Amino acid sequence: MLTWIETAGAALRPGAGWTEFLALFALVVASIVVIGLVTGAFFEIMNARHPERRIQIHRTNENKWGELKYAPGSIGVIALCFSGGLFAQGQGWALTPLPITWWSVPLTLAASVLLYDAWFYWLHRLLHWKPLYRFHALHHKSVAPTVWTNHHETLVEAILNQSFYFLIVFVIPIPWPVLVAEKIYDQISGMLGHAGYEHFASPMGRTPWPFASTVFHDQHHGYFRYNYAHSFSFWDRLMGTLHPRYDETVKRFETVTTPASGAVEPPASERPETR
């Protein structure tokens, strides 16, 4: 195991070859699987213990476990794009990363997270455009998403989303440990956004704060035409695509005691099946 990790780490140094790249790719795949299993188990336990925090109380995902058959392809694409970015940086093909300092870490992390949110918003809007929606339709079969829905996507959609992690090293001189930290956050927050239960509702998830809660992405699946961004709500607020009851729904979940006190069933005119 240690030799395998050392070989993968060698891919981050100049002169590495395909053997080191494949070891890095395998390490990233294994890491994503472990993060997914741990995060998924955590939310399965939390959801079972707190049924009152279910967001869509009148819907269930009958294909919950069947969605996992798409996970290998999705994870493979994620690992390929992410490993490719790290490898390109290590070989000196991308921007030279900044040294790790007290200011470079928060600066490059904030810049990358903000850029990814913009990337995700506009790409997501594009995928809802009729000529491209066929690549995104699979993901929207999960009208009531679960924590496992995060990887329920086509290979094309996965490539479009995850190519950010290959390209970002050519845009920002981000140190590789910072990019790793962002990717771990991305994996966990992606599963949190699909969890189907609002466990962490707080005032920071609604105006005037820009952060997005689980309700945010769940409403995108339930209502289809709203809430396209990833981590923040400001793009949707600016472009007029924020669900009109997002803030009030988050506020209700801050003090939820019964399922009905937090959840709202979508009006018939806003449901995906009538789009």
Side-chain angles (χ1 to χ4, degrees):
M1 176 65 74
L2 182 60
T3 302
W4 179 47
I5 294 175
E6 290 175 345
T7 303
L12 307 180
R13 297 192 290 270
W18 286 109
T19 300
E20 289 80 13
F21 174 77
L22 291 175
L24 175 62
F25 172 79
L27 181 61
V28 174
V29 168
S31 299
I32 293 172
V33 170
V34 170
I35 291 170
L37 291 175
V38 172
T39 305
F42 171 80
F43 282 111
E44 286 288 352
I45 293 171
M46 288 287 287
N47 294 351
R49 290 183 175 179
H50 298 282
E52 74 280 3
R53 295 197 167 272
R54 184 174 168 187
I55 298 171
Q56 298 188 46
I57 59 174
H58 300 300
R59 286 175 171 162
T60 58
N61 189 331
E62 301 295 339
N63 192 38
K64 174 180 177 178
W65 301 112
E67 291 179 351
L68 287 175
K69 69 182 180 181
Y70 293 91
S74 173
I75 292 172
V77 168
I78 293 171
L80 184 63
C81 292
F82 187 70
S83 300
L86 293 180
F87 188 75
Q89 187 184 73
Q91 302 317 299
W93 303 337
L95 297 178
T96 301
L98 292 171
I100 296 178
T101 66
W102 65 268
W103 61 268
S104 66
V105 170
L107 178 64
T108 55
L109 179 61
S112 187
V113 169
L114 288 171
L115 282 174
Y116 182 66
D117 199 64
W119 173 281
F120 191 91
Y121 177 85
W122 289 106
L123 178 62
H124 200 171
R125 289 289 302 270
L126 192 62
L127 285 169
H128 275 253
W129 181 42
K130 190 173 181 179
L132 294 180
Y133 182 69
R134 60 196 175 102
F135 301 118
H136 187 49
L138 175 67
H139 191 65
H140 269 286
K141 287 185 177 181
S142 305
V143 180
T146 75
V147 68
W148 308 109
T149 302
N150 193 44
H151 294 296
H152 188 221
E153 60 183 351
T154 64
L155 293 179
V156 172
E157 179 175 2
I159 291 170
L160 291 174
N161 279 327
Q162 299 302 318
S163 57
F164 173 88
Y165 286 98
F166 176 76
L167 298 173
I168 191 61
V169 296
F170 296 91
V171 179
I172 297 176
I174 184 169
W176 71 263
V178 179
L179 192 60
V180 169
E182 180 185 357
K183 188 58 195 160
I184 293 173
Y185 157 76
D186 180 33
Q187 288 300 119
I188 296 174
S189 63
M191 297 186 77
L192 169 65
H194 291 97
Y197 290 68
E198 182 54 85
H199 296 291
F200 306 110
S202 77
M204 293 188 70
R206 54 185 171 86
T207 188
W209 297 93
F211 302 107
S213 69
T214 302
V215 165
F216 183 85
H217 194 67
D218 195 279
Q219 285 182 332
H220 177 72
H221 279 261
Y223 294 79
F224 187 75
R225 298 182 179 90
Y226 305 97
N227 304 2
Y228 293 93
H230 184 270
S231 298
F232 307 102
S233 63
F234 51 76
W235 277 111
D236 286 283
R237 294 182 191 278
L238 179 64
M239 301 307 298
T241 53
L242 184 75
H243 190 276
R245 291 194 297 278
Y246 168 67
D247 286 327
E248 77 173 77
T249 303
V250 174
K251 188 174 183 179
R252 282 200 300 273
F253 269 107
E254 291 169 24
T255 57
V256 66
T257 56
T258 64
S261 65
V264 176
E265 179 71 0
S269 61
E270 297 179 344
R271 295 172 190 167
E273 58 266 30
T274 59
R275 62 180 177 274

